[in-house]
């Protein structure tokens, strides 16, 4: 295994971020997980634990004042489908830190609702 300068999320943070949105994209609300027909126990997951502030220098919305732990924390993690995870990293003006935090909070609040 090689070392990188990325402050990536651990498996627990990734799972909890997904669970906190009921496995729905925080942007478009589509389910990001479901059955795969490859096997009776197979699952397809198109979800991504995206960084609100980039994991490494040079990334979108990178904040040099954050600690490694802050960059790797669930507070800096937003659950998205692959399309929207890529989209937010193409335009940091439109997809600002404050906008992504609001989007995350709304997605989590929506997941709490019981019909």
């Amino acid at each position: 295994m090689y070392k990188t300068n990325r402050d990536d999320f651990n498996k627990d943070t990734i799972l909890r971020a997904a669970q906190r949105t009921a496995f729905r994209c925080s942007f478009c609300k589509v389910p990001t997980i479901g059955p795969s027909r490859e096997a009776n126990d197979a699952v397809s997951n198109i979800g991504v634990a995206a960084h609100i502030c980039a994991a490494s220098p040079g990334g979108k919305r990178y904040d040099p004042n954050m600690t490694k732990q802050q960059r790797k924390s669930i507070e800096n993690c937003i659950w998205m489908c692959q399309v929207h995870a890529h989209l937010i990293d193409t335009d940091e003006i439109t997809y600002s830190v404050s906008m992504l935090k609001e989007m995350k909070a709304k997605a989590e609040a929506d997941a709490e609702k019981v019909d």
Side-chain angles (χ1 to χ4, degrees):
M1 197 158 109
Y2 62 92
K3 284 210 165 221
T4 70
N5 65 341
R6 291 181 51 84
D7 296 323
D8 289 321
F9 304 120
N10 65 34
K11 288 180 182 181
D12 184 62
T13 298
I14 293 167
L15 178 60
R16 288 185 186 280
Q19 290 171 329
R20 290 181 60 82
T21 64
F23 288 87
R24 293 186 174 273
C25 175
S26 296
F27 194 108
C28 67
K29 310 299 184 216
V30 301
T32 59
I33 197 164
S36 168
R37 296 189 187 254
E38 289 189 357
N40 287 336
D41 62 349
V43 174
S44 290
N45 181 1
I46 61 163
V48 176
H51 283 79
I52 294 172
C53 294
S56 59
K60 300 293 183 184
R61 298 172 302 278
Y62 181 77
D63 182 351
N65 297 315
M66 290 178 85
T67 66
K68 278 177 97 54
Q69 285 310 111
Q70 288 171 322
R71 271 190 286 283
K72 295 164 51 167
S73 73
I74 197 161
E75 288 82 10
N76 191 40
C77 182
I78 184 168
W79 188 253
M80 299 202 154
C81 67
Q82 292 180 23
V83 169
H84 289 114
H86 178 70
L87 178 66
I88 67 167
D89 283 345
T90 64
D91 182 353
E92 68 183 305
I93 303 301
T94 301
Y95 305 107
S96 65
V97 170
S98 62
M99 179 191 199
L100 293 176
K101 285 183 177 183
E102 287 176 26
M103 189 182 296
K104 174 183 175 168
K106 182 170 182 345
E108 290 180 357
D110 288 348
E112 282 183 310
K113 294 178 183 169
V114 177
D115 289 333

